[in-house]
Amino acid sequence: MAKPSIYLTTPIYYVNDKPHIGHAYTSLATDVLARFKRLDGHEVFFLTGTDEHGQKVEKAAKDAGEDPQAFTDRVSQAFRDLTATMGFSNDDFIRTTEPRHKDACTALWQVLAERGEIYLGDYEGWYAVRDEAFYGPDELTERDGVKYAPSGAPVEWVREPSYFFRLSKWLPELLRRYDLPEGNPERIDIQPESRRNEVRSFVAQGLKDFGEGSEKLDLSVSRTSFTWGVKVPGDEKHVMYVWVDALTNYITAAGYPDTNAERWRFWPADVHFVGKDIVRFHTIYWPAMLLAAGLPTARRVFAHGWWTNEGQKISKSLGNVIDPVSLVEEYGLDPVRYFLLREVPFGQDGDFSRKSLVNRLNGELADALGNLANRTLSLIQRNCEGRLPEAGDAVVGREFLEGVVALPGQLRERLDRQEFHLALEAVMASVRDANGYITLEAPWALKKTDPVRMAVVLRHLHTALRCYATLLQPFMPETAGKMLDQLGVPAEARDIAALGTALPGGIALPAPAPLFRKIELPAA
Ligand code: ME8
């Protein structure tokens, strides 16, 4: 039977800046889900990449005194390097300056134009180059004669001929799709719920204010004021609005316009992971464009929250940008991956603090999990001649083992809802149970009094550790791999289905070594 397929995407990041912790975070969440799904018998297509067109990038290149292509080649590489530093398992890395992407954008534009979904008009409005977005006059604030967008970016009055996309036509259909029940293939699921409500009322309000079909609700989709972009087919004075170009990346990588391409079977995407700043683009413009082109819409958009640094907004001007590369150098890759998804409920804002990072790593990884593994495996070395005891009756600890057996299902459920923190909490809750079990049974004392029971207890603990290590692979690939090595689990028995088959008793286990190091918090 063919494996079920799943398509997961990250935003494509602007190359006007170096990658920071926010970028690493979105891609990390996507990576963990991709790895979990692969372990759980799915065929996964995981896409990330860079967004290289638009006025903002053109300006950044100019400021750096570089040609835009040379500039984007250089900065895009930094994002590609980040995927290696963070251990991302993406199947493709798309750049919007690639020919395949220009072809896809051109083809999509032509389809929209042929279907009468695009028309030529004039655009006037307040435009923020930094956000690549127009704002309504009521959204602006003024200081010293300069008007600013809600994001803090200065805006300028722009008037130019522009092509428009008939967004207005699709808004009622979007509302219908937001409201469809779970399981309906046409549903556009926006998560978390609070974001869904926001988007829903934004669309409903627009329809109320301007009326269905009003041109005021249409989207300006081309620019003549700069040139760094994909040219509009048939009218090369215009380049496509960068968001039209950017969003199209998700179908380019699936082979569009060739809907017979092998990869096209992955479309529609199962989850677009995005930050909360770009929800509207993904839940309004993008599905409307797809509908207008007669293509299926992505199933879910999950918008996560914002990271602050020790309570402060992360910004270049404050000089408090967290560099993922130096974080990984300081604490190690797996601990950083663990912390980012453990600390903050996915979907909410979170604060990055070294103190909580150190506490989590020491308390949960080194003390709870690391010690459990080390104690269990050392006892097997010492008291069982280094051989895995046979699986025996549960005696005491049946309840504990039942909890372990239920874990894979719990993780599946949690991760299907992108509840990364709860998935990790479920594993940690079981680790705490296991520590209670080992303390209660005190297998180190059973050697003399009841060696049979000792062997059974150690075997149960081994079973639990194997389950934890298997399930933690998506979060901490290297450490979980080492743990599985120490547990004697062969490479072909490391997926989730394999947890259903016990390892044969009697196999020799290698000598254990510590999996995590404790970290000292520098004195304040
Ligand atoms: O918006 N906390 O690219 P971008 C958490 N090119 N996540 C953060 C963050 C923070 N402080 N800062 C950034 C773009 N992010 C467009 C996307 S998609 C078709 C085009 C993450 O480089 C978050 O995922 O500005 C956010 O959505 C993304 O970086 C924005 O990246």
Side-chain angles (χ1 to χ4, degrees), residues 460-473:
H460 287 348
L461 288 164
H462 182 280
T463 301
L465 285 165
R466 175 189 177 194
C467 182
Y468 308 150
T470 300
L471 297 175
L472 287 172
Q473 289 176 98

Side-chain angles (χ1 to χ4, degrees), residues 12-14 20 22-23 26 51 243 250 275 277-278 304-307:
I12 47 170
Y13 303 108
Y14 283 130
H20 66 68
H23 307 122
T26 319
D51 188 356
W243 272 100
Y250 301 128
D277 53 328
I278 56 175
H304 65 68
W306 227 232
W307 280 96

Side-chain angles (χ1 to χ4, degrees), residues 213-371:
S214 161
E215 290 195 351
K216 291 227 166 69
L217 294 170
D218 289 345
L219 180 68
S220 159
V221 286
S222 76
R223 300 283 181 269
T224 51
S225 50
F226 65 98
T227 57
W228 184 240
V230 184
K231 297 211 174 344
V232 167
D235 193 353
E236 305 220 326
K237 285 192 303 300
H238 290 253
V239 295
M240 293 180 197
Y241 173 39
V242 67
W243 272 100
V244 170
D245 162 356
L247 291 161
T248 305
N249 93 86
Y250 301 128
I251 54 174
T252 303
Y256 190 81
D258 179 6
T259 52
N260 291 315
E262 232 220 303
R263 284 228 186 123
W264 189 253
R265 70 186 188 283
F266 287 106
W267 188 260
D270 291 271
V271 189
H272 287 316
F273 283 89
V274 298
K276 64 180 182 179
D277 53 328
I278 56 175
V279 185
R280 285 185 193 174
F281 297 98
H282 283 81
T283 55
I284 304 175
Y285 301 174
W286 178 226
M289 280 161 56
L290 289 164
L291 288 168
L295 296 170
T297 52
R299 297 201 168 92
R300 175 177 294 169
V301 175
F302 196 112
H304 65 68
W306 227 232
W307 280 96
T308 51
N309 185 359
E310 312 281 349
Q312 276 189 313
K313 187 176 165 2
I314 297 177
S315 87
K316 254 204 323 200
S317 50
L318 287 174
N320 65 348
V321 175
I322 303 170
D323 173 14
V325 177
S326 52
L327 212 57
V328 166
E329 272 167 15
E330 195 171 344
Y331 298 104
L333 175 58
D334 283 349
V336 169
R337 287 176 60 111
Y338 177 84
F339 172 74
L340 289 176
L341 292 177
R342 171 74 173 121
E343 183 68 5
V344 177
F346 198 64
Q348 292 180 21
D349 291 343
D351 185 42
F352 183 89
S353 111
R354 278 174 199 263
K355 193 161 160 232
S356 34
L357 178 125
V358 168
N359 285 343
R360 284 271 180 214
L361 302 185
N362 287 348
E364 293 185 348
L365 296 184
D367 289 345
L369 179 62
N371 278 348

Side-chain angles (χ1 to χ4, degrees), residues 19-234:
H20 66 68
I21 197 72
H23 307 122
Y25 180 59
T26 319
S27 298
L28 170 63
T30 317
D31 182 61
V32 167
L33 187 58
R35 285 175 182 268
F36 185 85
K37 288 289 169 190
R38 287 191 202 105
L39 271 190
D40 205 20
H42 287 68
E43 191 189 10
V44 176
F45 179 40
F46 164 17
L47 177 70
T48 188
T50 42
D51 188 356
E52 308 189 0
H53 288 133
Q55 201 168 0
K56 189 150 89 168
V57 175
E58 192 181 71
K59 185 170 179 307
K62 204 167 153 212
D63 291 349
E66 275 179 82
D67 157 70
Q69 190 62 56
F71 174 81
T72 53
D73 288 348
R74 181 167 61 76
V75 189
S76 176
Q77 188 56 41
F79 281 92
R80 209 184 272 267
D81 293 346
L82 182 74
T83 64
T85 308
M86 294 295 299
F88 297 148
S89 62
N90 50 297
D91 300 289
D92 196 352
F93 186 99
I94 189 164
R95 299 183 53 191
T96 54
T97 50
E98 288 174 64
R100 61 169 170 163
H101 182 66
K102 290 185 185 164
D103 291 350
C105 289
T106 308
L108 181 65
W109 186 284
Q110 277 163 339
V111 170
L112 294 175
E114 276 159 24
R115 291 178 161 231
E117 300 285 347
I118 286 179
Y119 61 92
L120 186 60
D122 263 317
Y123 194 85
E124 287 190 85
W126 292 106
Y127 187 70
V129 174
R130 210 163 89 193
D131 301 345
E132 309 265 18
F134 281 96
Y135 291 93
D138 48 343
E139 290 181 280
L140 305 177
T141 47
E142 191 168 334
R143 262 193 329 274
D144 304 328
V146 182
K147 290 191 192 313
Y148 294 91
S151 61
V155 295
E156 55 192 305
W157 185 256
V158 172
R159 187 193 169 135
E160 56 182 62
S162 168
Y163 285 92
F164 284 82
F165 165 57
R166 292 190 196 284
L167 179 62
S168 55
K169 182 174 156 190
W170 297 100
L171 297 178
E173 174 62 11
L174 289 180
L175 287 179
R176 187 186 75 85
R177 290 189 179 223
Y178 301 152
D179 291 345
L180 288 172
E182 225 172 289
N184 187 312
E186 293 190 339
R187 170 177 154 105
I188 299 171
D189 183 19
I190 307 172
Q191 291 294 335
E193 190 68 18
S194 54
R195 298 281 163 223
R196 174 192 174 276
N197 296 339
E198 247 173 62
V199 169
R200 213 195 166 288
S201 36
F202 180 76
V203 172
Q205 190 61 43
L207 283 171
K208 203 166 135 225
D209 289 350
F210 298 104
E212 248 181 80
S214 161
E215 290 195 351
K216 291 227 166 69
L217 294 170
D218 289 345
L219 180 68
S220 159
V221 286
S222 76
R223 300 283 181 269
T224 51
S225 50
F226 65 98
T227 57
W228 184 240
V230 184
K231 297 211 174 344
V232 167

